[in-house]
Amino acid sequence: MVYIFLSLVTGIFLGFFRKNYIEQRKIDKLINVSLFMLLFLMGFKLGVDERVLKNISHIGFKAAMLCIFSIAGSLLILKGVEKKIYEPDGNDSGNIGDY
């Protein structure tokens, strides 16, 4: 965990001093390639693990339920926050604290 944090802080520090747009485009491509490679390797590791393959239907059901309830919970919280932000008289000014 310490290595992850140090890597992130070092990247932020170096990025702060090098704000070249062309370098950012190259870094964006590198991030995309790295992300796809990470996803591929994670999928490969899951495909090799026999325990995962035997329980794929059970794992898939849990993942689907987690996804559905996460979305539903987020929408409910958003609805509650929306009522707090907008004024009760119907004026959708969006100014927080104007009651």
Side-chain angles (χ1 to χ4, degrees):
M1 185 69 175
V2 173
Y3 295 118
I4 295 171
F5 182 73
L6 287 175
S7 298
L8 182 64
V9 170
T10 303
I12 291 171
F13 181 74
L14 292 175
F16 182 74
F17 293 110
R18 304 202 67 157
K19 297 181 180 178
N20 188 351
Y21 179 72
I22 295 172
E23 285 182 7
Q24 286 180 355
R25 289 180 52 194
K26 289 179 183 178
I27 289 172
D28 286 344
K29 287 182 182 181
L30 180 62
I31 289 171
N32 285 335
V33 169
S34 300
L35 180 61
F36 288 125
M37 191 66 156
L38 175 66
L39 291 172
F40 170 76
L41 291 173
M42 287 173 60
F44 185 80
K45 185 175 181 179
L46 289 174
V48 171
D49 192 349
E50 291 180 21
R51 293 179 301 153
V52 172
L53 293 178
K54 287 180 184 176
N55 296 316
I56 194 74
S57 62
H58 185 66
I59 293 170
F61 178 75
K62 282 186 172 182
M65 289 295 106
L66 180 64
C67 179
I68 289 169
F69 285 113
S70 295
I71 292 170
S74 295
L75 290 174
L76 287 173
I77 291 171
L78 177 65
K79 196 66 170 169
V81 169
E82 184 181 41
K83 286 181 181 181
K84 293 284 186 187
I85 291 176
Y86 293 115
E87 293 182 24
D89 63 356
N91 182 5
D92 290 345
S93 65
N95 294 330
I96 297 174
D98 292 340
Y99 294 105

